[in-house]
Amino acid sequence: MTRRALIGSGLAALVAPTIAAGAETRPALPLQLKPDRELMVPVEGGRLYVRINGDLSGPRLPLVYLHGGPGSGHAGLLALTALAEERAIILYDQLDSGRSDAPADPRNWRVERFVDEIDAVRRALGVERWHLGGGSWGGTLALEYGARRPAALAGLIIQSPLVSTRSWIADANVLRRELPAQWRATLDACEGAVRPSSDQCVAADEAYLIRHVWRTPGDPRIADYRKTMPPNAGEAVYNGMWGPVEFRATGTLRDYDGEPLLARLDGRRTLFVAGEHDEARPATVAGFARRVSGAQYRTISGAAHAILRDAPERYLPLISGWCRRHEAATA
């Protein structure tokens, strides 16, 4: 797996519970681990796995939420199914991720093709209007989709986004400099010509990840669900589009710049979100929001990058309220 995927074992399993004291006593969310409906949707390059919880024809508009990575898959978004009594929740695995087809063809690894997947899913489900959110790389796709100004879009949530590789690397370097000296030195050595042991590099990586990617052990039900996913799903697309090193992009996203797209968003229906300890730093994400006239920004306290893992009890009510207000305003 990618270096980021190693979190959850080793050092992180020991340290994360300490950072997130009290997380074990969080009330259990009413997750719906089993989908009400699932299907495979044809797109350019293959087929996508799509799952739905809730009633697509219900009184409230559906919410589709895009996973990060590239390659992370939908499992980390299952907390959203707690909202399925209110509205339909649509989750899917992007091509080369999760349960979707995995042709591992670099010709498919184009931002615009991943954006085209979104409406392919909407059309397959017969959805006329919906809300759309996305986190991390999913936030990139949410930005790109919102910039197209689709008539189907009622509300847009851009969470912890990669808006440009330049700004992402700048944030990572700021946070890296704040690590204890021993971890900074190890990370530098792991990117040098003479590398320390693999265990040392993994431990240094995790020292960063448990501060800024996720700070809690997460829901054990979701951890068990992850075990049902295909092994190594998403590794090829992650390494191909980003690269094997967390702090340096060497793949097809190395020169990505979506900042000009900010001016194309409809700010009245756009919410930017970051976690308090996010690797997409709150100051940076709030700065992007200020460049979108009428957009709003929220920080989720106590959370790092994986907000739905760290603070679902704070993030889910924000999502629910945002969707309710914006479907009423645009009905």
Side-chain angles (χ1 to χ4, degrees):
M1 296 296 289
T2 63
R3 293 172 74 189
R4 176 171 296 189
L6 291 170
I7 195 81
S9 61
L11 179 67
L14 299 175
V15 180
T18 303
I19 292 177
E24 302 84 352
T25 61
R26 175 188 294 155
L29 291 172
L31 300 183
Q32 297 188 28
L33 297 177
K34 183 178 179 181
D36 293 329
R37 179 185 173 193
E38 54 189 345
L39 67 158
M40 300 297 288
V41 173
V43 297
E44 179 188 351
R47 300 173 304 152
L48 307 183
Y49 170 81
V50 182
R51 55 169 284 163
I52 305 99
N53 286 96
D55 184 0
L56 284 173
S57 60
R60 297 197 176 278
L61 298 179
L63 168 67
V64 60
Y65 209 96
L66 311 177
H67 69 71
S72 294
H74 73 274
L77 306 178
L78 285 174
L80 289 162
T81 64
L83 300 177
E85 293 299 320
E86 170 187 312
R87 68 183 69 250
I89 301 298
I90 303 165
L91 305 176
Y92 71 89
D93 291 325
Q94 298 155 26
L95 198 67
D96 284 306
S97 305
R99 295 192 173 108
S100 290
D101 288 348
D105 184 347
R107 292 175 297 181
N108 293 322
W109 299 342
R110 310 184 318 273
V111 173
E112 63 274 14
R113 197 211 58 79
F114 283 102
V115 181
D116 290 343
E117 288 182 348
I118 299 170
D119 269 331
V121 170
R122 184 184 61 80
R123 290 190 297 269
L125 298 178
V127 173
E128 292 186 6
R129 298 184 70 245
W130 62 2
H131 303 284
L132 182 137
S136 193
W137 155 250
T140 308
L141 299 179
L143 167 65
E144 293 268 352
Y145 185 73
R148 293 183 178 186
R149 295 286 190 111
L153 184 61
L156 180 66
I157 301 171
I158 302 176
Q159 177 235 312
S160 312
L162 166 72
V163 172
S164 68
T165 299
R166 176 183 62 254
S167 65
W168 186 274
I169 296 296
D171 274 358
N173 286 335
V174 168
L175 297 174
R176 181 168 165 166
R177 288 194 294 270
E178 295 174 356
L179 289 173
Q182 70 179 94
W183 298 126
R184 294 199 310 269
T186 302
L187 285 171
D188 290 343
C190 289
E191 295 177 8
V194 181
R195 289 170 52 87
S197 71
S198 176
D199 286 348
Q200 289 176 293
C201 292
V202 168
D205 238 9
E206 290 183 341
Y208 176 85
L209 297 176
I210 61 177
R211 286 163 172 80
H212 301 298
V213 178
W214 45 67
R215 298 171 67 86
T216 70
D219 191 310
R221 294 171 295 174
I222 295 177
D224 288 341
Y225 181 91
R226 285 184 185 278
K227 295 175 184 177
T228 70
M229 304 296 281
N232 302 321
E235 182 176 7
V237 66
Y238 182 87
N239 287 333
M241 295 190 73
W242 185 261
V245 178
E246 177 70 18
F247 303 99
R248 184 174 67 253
T250 55
T252 59
L253 290 172
R254 60 186 176 275
D255 298 317
Y256 177 75
D257 185 6
E259 294 190 31
L261 300 179
L262 294 168
R264 302 184 195 173
L265 295 177
D266 182 352
R268 297 169 300 171
R269 66 186 68 202
T270 303
L271 173 66
F272 287 83
V273 180
E276 178 184 4
H277 307 285
D278 210 314
E279 63 177 337
R281 295 194 308 134
T284 300
V285 179
F288 291 140
R290 287 193 295 271
R291 293 166 60 178
V292 180
S293 178
Q296 296 187 36
Y297 168 78
R298 297 289 185 274
T299 300
I300 306 300
S301 63
H305 193 57
I307 298 175
L308 281 166
R309 174 175 175 151
D310 284 346
E313 71 282 3
R314 289 185 285 280
Y315 191 32
L316 292 177
L318 175 63
I319 292 173
S320 175
W322 179 262
C323 292
R324 285 171 177 261
R325 286 193 300 275
H326 285 77
E327 63 198 23
T330 60

